[in-house]
Amino acid sequence: MTTETINESLDDAHNDDHHDHKMTGIKRWLYTTNHKDIGTLYLWFSFIMLLTGGALAMVIRAELFQPGLQIVEPDFFNQLTTVHGLIMVFGAIMPAFTGFANWMLPMMIGAPDMALPRMNNWSFWILPFAFAILLGSFFMESGAPNFGWTFYAPLSTTYSNGSTAFFVFAVHIMGISSIMGAINIVVTIMNLRAPGMTYMKMPLFVWTFFITAYLLIAVMPVLAGVVTMLLTDTYFGTSFFDAAGGGDPVMFQHIFWFFGHPEVYIMILPAFGIVSTIIPAFSRKKLFGYSSMVYATSSIALLSFIVWAHHMFTTGMPLFGELFFMYCTMLIAVPTGVKVFNWVATMWRGSLTFETPMLFSIAFVILFTIGGFSGLMLALTPVDFQYHDTYFVVAHFHYVLVTGSLFSIYAGAYFWLPKWTGHMYNESLAKWHFWCSLISVNLLFFPMHFLGLAGMPRRIPDYALQFADFNKWVSIGGFAFGLSQLIFLAVVIKCIKGGKKAPAKPWDGAEGLEWTVASPAPYHTFSTPPKID
Amino acid sequence: MSKGTEQQTDRSNGKVIKKLVLVVFAMFGFGFALVPLYDVFCDITGLNGKTNDVAVAYKNDGIDTTRTVKVQFITRMAKGIPWQFEPVINEILVHPGEVKFVNFYAKNKSKRDIIGKAVPSVSPGIAGGYFQKIECFCFTHQPLKAGEEVEMGLQFYVDIDLPSEINTLTLSYTLYEISAKVDS
Ligand code: HEM
Ligand SMILES: [Cu+2]
């Protein structure tokens, strides 16, 4: 490619006049407005949160290793499940995707930086405070939130242990951070695309983040609204969700899930984008059905607003409501199926190689599909009466979130690590990470389907004896999966410190502007927009 | 990038940001708008088992003696209210259109004065719109002195056009303490 050399020399020239602005030490990170620095901050933050949330999960699995109460009190157990869920959703998965957006979007669309660099700095740096409040509540008199990550009223109002205020403020800050991040992404994509890059020429990765940002802008304010109502109900005597004052606790669930269902797509659409970048690269073929992917992503996003009550089938909805939400939910499976079909078709007759990013992507396609199938089962109203609030639901959302979202994050991290660090990661260590994770994650989550079908309820610290064997295996899988993630930490640290020098484009099948700049990507890229033809 | 183009992007950035921030505020408002919308929706569709919270006049459309509907009464105390509260009779058979009167017994078992409020709900939810209360203690508060007991009346009828598949209605009252809210 001819642009390659031109760009590199231009970037080098630019580097020199910018380098003196770059601060050193902690100040560099506190004051940075550089999209790559901020992307790095987001990614590290999310990994730390993954380990924190993971540590909580280890205690949960230790308690559930055998029936009976061994390690923790039931109330503390509830705090663990609640904070585990909140940390993983808002602290691990979402910031990881924002990190990818920051690092990759400007490079993929040929922009010099994000459109609103100073706001970008803010949206990251308020996040640690949110999680300090949330985690700090463990050490308060009240204890941490114990009402589930879904914080149903009246558990979080009338029956709150006193942690509601901490929880609400933490969520407000996370929400503000996400909204700022999303506005930045939309403005960047709308205004900073290189000349000639029309919407339908954008990489699919960019499309998925664009649509996700709109979803965030639409539903994070609703989350902010519902936690505000919770706050005033708990402390200021309003009765939004209090039947005594004319409110309605079921309404809480409607408002929460109006946010909550689009939220699950916020956590999976970027994953679709990452996998749609990686599978073509290692199949050495173009992505099959690019435009159908764009339309499928958009229709998933639109449909996600009219399916929320599939989380509420057992609240006593009238038959018409049950059917409406059942059919709408099943409708979403159509565009989702289109995507899975396109990934498989992309691999069909490709010249495949199986480097770690590809392994994680293939595992994603298969295991996410299992999660989609269990989702379809849950979408069937009559059977959901049996499955609701059992481990079957836990199995479902861990297949879509862990082997879905998290696996895509690992795939993306391995794929772009050479670009970020300038070194190739250690492939055999990475393969260890993959295989250990793959085996342990299935040992961890697959038996949960059977536990759920057999009737084991979720969110309990103790269980009936007949569930003992499966729970033991699940816990062993859990510990193994937890440990396996430390391999990833080792790979990343090794890769930052050294390793084989990475060329500008280490993957021969990869496409996109990010591969036209040197590895590691210079501090400033595309100060002059590239030409797209 | 030349000066000219940079300014241009900044201007259009401003426009996009303004629009997006507007959406953010609109959606925040929408969250709150869902509260009245929810009530209106439930009112119109008669979902949710909510019953009328002001008295209705009896509409004489005749009595359907060919049908008999069983109405059951249950009561529940919300957390922390030290009352005894129960229906005097547990169930009653009515013909649609026929007015009935039943009593509920309440006693404040504590040593302090308490104001209670009973919140009704009908199951199956769809029947809520057909259960008409002509007079009900639940329209107001129940202030009971320490140790005081009362019988409280409910006068109701079931609409003549109650869907034919519904043969049993359950009226449930949940009793809440609202002393603090009424005082202030
Ligand atoms: C084919 C697509 C999907 C369908 C049909 C589907 C359907 C459902 C249904 C019906 C439930 C409610 C189960 C119950 O509580 O009884 C549910 C729960 C859940 N789903 Fe999905 N789902 C799908 C994809 C996803 C994806 C992609 C994610 C996230 C990445 C996700 C995350 C969740 C979560 C977190 C819950 C549990 C919420 C809770 O109660 O804590 N789902 N899903
Ligand atoms: Cu959902």
Side-chain angles (χ1 to χ4, degrees), chain A residues 430-443:
Chain A
K431 289 222 162 92
W432 271 99
H433 173 222
F434 171 75
W435 287 108
C436 289
S437 295
L438 183 74
I439 293 165
S440 58
V441 86
N442 282 295
L443 183 58

Side-chain angles (χ1 to χ4, degrees), chain A residues 116 159 179 183 186-187 190-191 217-218 221-222 224-225 229 237 239-240 242-244 248 250-251 254 258 318, chain B residues 1 9 12-13 16-17 20-21 23-24 27-28 30-32 34-35 38 47-48 50 79 117 119 176 178 181:
Chain A
L116 311 165
Y159 302 102
I179 290 171
I183 289 180
V186 171
V187 178
M190 286 181 85
N191 288 351
I217 290 167
V222 177
M229 293 178 209
S239 310
F240 288 106
D242 181 6
D248 189 333
V250 176
M251 185 178 70
H254 281 289
F258 183 83
Chain B
M1 212 182 279
T9 40
S12 59
N13 280 1
V16 179
I17 296 168
L20 295 177
V21 171
V23 176
V24 169
M27 288 309 290
F28 188 71
F30 177 73
F32 284 88
L34 282 174
V35 177
Y38 180 80
L47 301 179
N48 204 20
K50 282 202 178 157
K79 186 183 168 191
K117 179 170 172 61
V119 177
Y176 295 92
I178 55 164
K181 281 188 187 168

